[in-house]
Amino acid sequence: MLATIRKLFDAWNDKGVTYCHWKSLDHLPEAMLGETDLDLLVDESSARLAEQALADSGFVRLEPVPLRGYPGIADYLCLDPSGVWVHAHVHYQLNLGDRWVKAFWLPADPVLKRAVFSEEFESYVVSRDDELYLFCVRMSLKFRRRFM
């Protein structure tokens, strides 16, 4: 795990930030090495603490190109001391739907309440049941045709 990511999760865990990795758990080892982005769901009531820890860990919030951002989702970028870039999508809402048009919202609270602590990654991850449920919902909203 990269030092920057370790520092962020240590801070979130110490400060009691309610969060979890909410999708693509099968790619979590790569995300922890900066090879792919982190998709983090954060409770809105923890937003200030989460954002302060991101800044303290070296992350900078990126402003989206006009009409390319989504409400409730922030992008952060950080250069780890190892020279690897870390990109984090911080979701304060579960916005779902077609690319560039996230027209559906699901409540984040139930997902966060069922998150489990991963000893391997020393951070919270979405429950396997919720990950499967959210994957099915996301795919059904992206692909309106029946799966054949």
Side-chain angles (χ1 to χ4, degrees), residues 5 8-9 12 31 36-40 54 59-62 73-78 85-91:
I5 296 172
L8 174 64
F9 292 139
W12 280 5
T36 187
D37 59 322
L38 295 164
D39 284 295
L40 304 164
L54 282 155
F59 284 86
V60 175
R61 186 172 180 160
L62 305 174
I73 302 173
D75 282 301
Y76 286 87
L77 192 63
C78 178
W85 288 102
V86 180
H87 181 206
H89 299 283
V90 180
H91 300 251

Coordinates of all heavy atoms in Angstrom, one line a residue, residues 5 8-9 12 31 36-40 54 59-62 73-78 85-91:
I5 N -1.8 6.7 0.8 CA -3.1 6.0 1.0 C -3.2 5.5 2.5 O -4.2 5.7 3.1 CB -3.3 4.9 0.0 CG1 -3.4 5.5 -1.4 CG2 -4.5 4.1 0.4 CD1 -3.4 4.4 -2.5
L8 N -3.9 8.5 4.7 CA -5.3 8.9 4.6 C -6.2 8.0 5.4 O -7.0 8.5 6.2 CB -5.7 8.9 3.1 CG -7.2 9.2 2.9 CD1 -7.6 10.7 3.4 CD2 -7.6 9.0 1.5
F9 N -6.1 6.7 5.2 CA -7.0 5.8 6.0 C -6.7 5.8 7.5 O -7.6 5.7 8.2 CB -6.9 4.4 5.4 CG -7.5 4.3 4.0 CD1 -6.9 3.6 3.0 CD2 -8.6 5.0 3.6 CE1 -7.4 3.5 1.7 CE2 -9.2 5.0 2.4 CZ -8.5 4.2 1.4
W12 N -8.5 8.9 8.6 CA -10.0 8.7 8.6 C -10.4 7.7 9.7 O -11.4 8.0 10.4 CB -10.5 8.1 7.3 CG -10.6 9.1 6.2 CD1 -10.3 10.5 6.3 CD2 -11.1 9.0 4.9 NE1 -10.5 11.1 5.1 CE2 -11.0 10.2 4.2 CE3 -11.6 7.8 4.2 CZ2 -11.4 10.4 2.9 CZ3 -12.0 8.0 2.9 CH2 -11.9 9.3 2.2
A31 N -5.6 -0.6 -6.7 CA -5.9 0.8 -6.2 C -5.0 1.2 -5.1 O -4.5 2.4 -5.0 CB -7.3 0.9 -5.8
T36 N -4.8 2.0 -10.2 CA -6.2 2.4 -10.6 C -6.7 3.3 -9.5 O -6.1 3.5 -8.5 CB -7.1 1.2 -10.8 OG1 -8.3 1.6 -11.4 CG2 -7.3 0.4 -9.6
D37 N -7.8 4.0 -9.8 CA -8.4 5.0 -8.9 C -9.1 4.3 -7.7 O -9.5 3.2 -7.7 CB -9.3 5.9 -9.6 CG -10.5 5.3 -10.2 OD1 -10.3 4.2 -10.8 OD2 -11.6 5.8 -10.2
L38 N -9.2 5.1 -6.6 CA -10.0 4.7 -5.4 C -11.4 5.2 -5.6 O -11.5 6.4 -5.9 CB -9.3 5.3 -4.2 CG -7.9 4.8 -3.8 CD1 -7.3 5.7 -2.8 CD2 -8.0 3.4 -3.3
D39 N -12.4 4.4 -5.3 CA -13.8 4.8 -5.3 C -14.2 4.8 -3.9 O -14.5 3.7 -3.4 CB -14.6 4.0 -6.2 CG -14.4 4.4 -7.7 OD1 -14.8 5.5 -8.0 OD2 -13.9 3.5 -8.4
L40 N -14.3 5.9 -3.2 CA -14.6 6.0 -1.8 C -16.0 6.6 -1.6 O -16.2 7.7 -2.1 CB -13.5 6.8 -1.1 CG -12.1 6.2 -1.3 CD1 -11.1 7.3 -1.0 CD2 -11.9 4.9 -0.6
L54 N -7.8 14.5 3.7 CA -7.3 14.4 2.3 C -6.2 15.5 2.1 O -5.1 15.2 1.6 CB -8.4 14.6 1.3 CG -9.3 13.3 1.1 CD1 -10.7 13.7 0.6 CD2 -8.6 12.4 0.1
F59 N -3.5 15.4 -0.7 CA -4.4 15.4 -1.9 C -4.9 16.8 -2.2 O -5.1 17.6 -1.3 CB -5.6 14.5 -1.6 CG -5.3 13.0 -1.6 CD1 -4.8 12.4 -0.5 CD2 -5.6 12.3 -2.8 CE1 -4.6 11.0 -0.6 CE2 -5.3 11.0 -2.9 CZ -4.8 10.3 -1.8
V60 N -5.0 17.1 -3.5 CA -5.6 18.3 -4.0 C -6.9 18.0 -4.7 O -7.0 17.1 -5.5 CB -4.6 19.0 -4.9 CG1 -5.2 20.2 -5.6 CG2 -3.3 19.3 -4.2
R61 N -7.9 18.8 -4.4 CA -9.2 18.6 -5.1 C -9.1 19.2 -6.5 O -8.7 20.4 -6.7 CB -10.3 19.3 -4.3 CG -11.7 19.0 -4.8 CD -12.8 19.5 -3.9 NE -14.1 19.2 -4.5 CZ -15.2 19.2 -3.8 NH1 -15.2 19.4 -2.6 NH2 -16.3 18.9 -4.4
L62 N -9.6 18.5 -7.4 CA -9.6 18.9 -8.8 C -11.0 19.5 -9.2 O -12.0 18.9 -8.7 CB -9.3 17.7 -9.7 CG -8.0 17.0 -9.5 CD1 -7.9 15.7 -10.4 CD2 -6.8 17.9 -9.7
I73 N -19.9 14.2 -6.0 CA -18.7 13.4 -6.3 C -17.5 14.4 -6.5 O -17.6 15.4 -7.3 CB -18.8 12.6 -7.5 CG1 -20.0 11.6 -7.4 CG2 -17.5 11.8 -7.8 CD1 -20.3 10.8 -8.7
A74 N -16.4 14.2 -5.8 CA -15.2 15.1 -5.9 C -14.0 14.2 -6.3 O -13.9 13.1 -5.8 CB -15.0 15.7 -4.5
D75 N -13.2 14.8 -7.1 CA -12.0 14.1 -7.5 C -10.8 14.7 -6.8 O -10.7 16.0 -6.7 CB -11.7 14.3 -9.0 CG -12.6 13.4 -9.9 OD1 -12.5 12.2 -9.7 OD2 -13.4 13.9 -10.7
Y76 N -9.9 13.9 -6.3 CA -8.7 14.3 -5.6 C -7.5 13.6 -6.3 O -7.6 12.4 -6.7 CB -8.7 13.9 -4.2 CG -9.7 14.8 -3.4 CD1 -11.0 14.4 -3.3 CD2 -9.2 15.9 -2.7 CE1 -11.9 15.2 -2.5 CE2 -10.1 16.7 -2.0 CZ -11.4 16.3 -1.9 OH -12.3 17.1 -1.2
L77 N -6.4 14.3 -6.3 CA -5.1 13.8 -6.8 C -4.0 14.1 -5.9 O -3.9 15.1 -5.2 CB -4.9 14.4 -8.2 CG -3.8 13.8 -9.1 CD1 -4.1 12.4 -9.5 CD2 -3.6 14.7 -10.3
C78 N -3.0 13.1 -5.8 CA -1.9 13.3 -4.9 C -0.7 12.6 -5.5 O -0.9 11.5 -6.1 CB -2.2 12.7 -3.5 SG -0.8 12.8 -2.4
W85 N 1.2 8.6 -8.9 CA 0.0 9.5 -8.7 C -1.1 8.6 -8.1 O -1.3 7.5 -8.6 CB -0.4 10.1 -10.0 CG 0.5 11.1 -10.5 CD1 1.5 11.0 -11.5 CD2 0.6 12.5 -10.0 NE1 2.1 12.2 -11.6 CE2 1.6 13.1 -10.8 CE3 -0.1 13.2 -9.1 CZ2 1.9 14.5 -10.6 CZ3 0.2 14.5 -8.9 CH2 1.2 15.2 -9.6
V86 N -1.8 9.2 -7.2 CA -3.0 8.6 -6.6 C -4.2 9.4 -6.9 O -4.2 10.6 -6.7 CB -2.9 8.5 -5.1 CG1 -4.1 7.8 -4.5 CG2 -1.6 7.7 -4.7
H87 N -5.2 8.8 -7.5 CA -6.5 9.5 -7.9 C -7.6 8.9 -7.1 O -7.8 7.7 -7.1 CB -6.7 9.3 -9.4 CG -7.9 10.0 -9.9 ND1 -8.6 9.5 -11.0 CD2 -8.6 11.0 -9.4 CE1 -9.7 10.3 -11.2 NE2 -9.7 11.3 -10.3
A88 N -8.3 9.7 -6.4 CA -9.5 9.3 -5.6 C -10.7 9.9 -6.0 O -10.8 11.2 -6.2 CB -9.2 9.6 -4.1
H89 N -11.8 9.1 -6.2 CA -13.1 9.7 -6.4 C -13.8 9.6 -5.1 O -14.0 8.4 -4.6 CB -13.9 8.8 -7.4 CG -13.3 8.7 -8.8 ND1 -13.5 9.8 -9.7 CD2 -12.6 7.8 -9.4 CE1 -12.9 9.4 -10.8 NE2 -12.3 8.2 -10.7
V90 N -14.2 10.7 -4.5 CA -14.9 10.7 -3.2 C -16.3 11.0 -3.5 O -16.7 12.0 -4.0 CB -14.2 11.7 -2.3 CG1 -15.0 11.7 -0.9 CG2 -12.8 11.4 -2.1
H91 N -17.2 10.0 -3.2 CA -18.6 10.1 -3.4 C -19.3 10.4 -2.1 O -19.1 9.6 -1.1 CB -19.1 8.7 -3.9 CG -18.5 8.3 -5.2 ND1 -19.2 8.3 -6.4 CD2 -17.3 7.8 -5.5 CE1 -18.4 7.8 -7.4 NE2 -17.2 7.5 -6.8

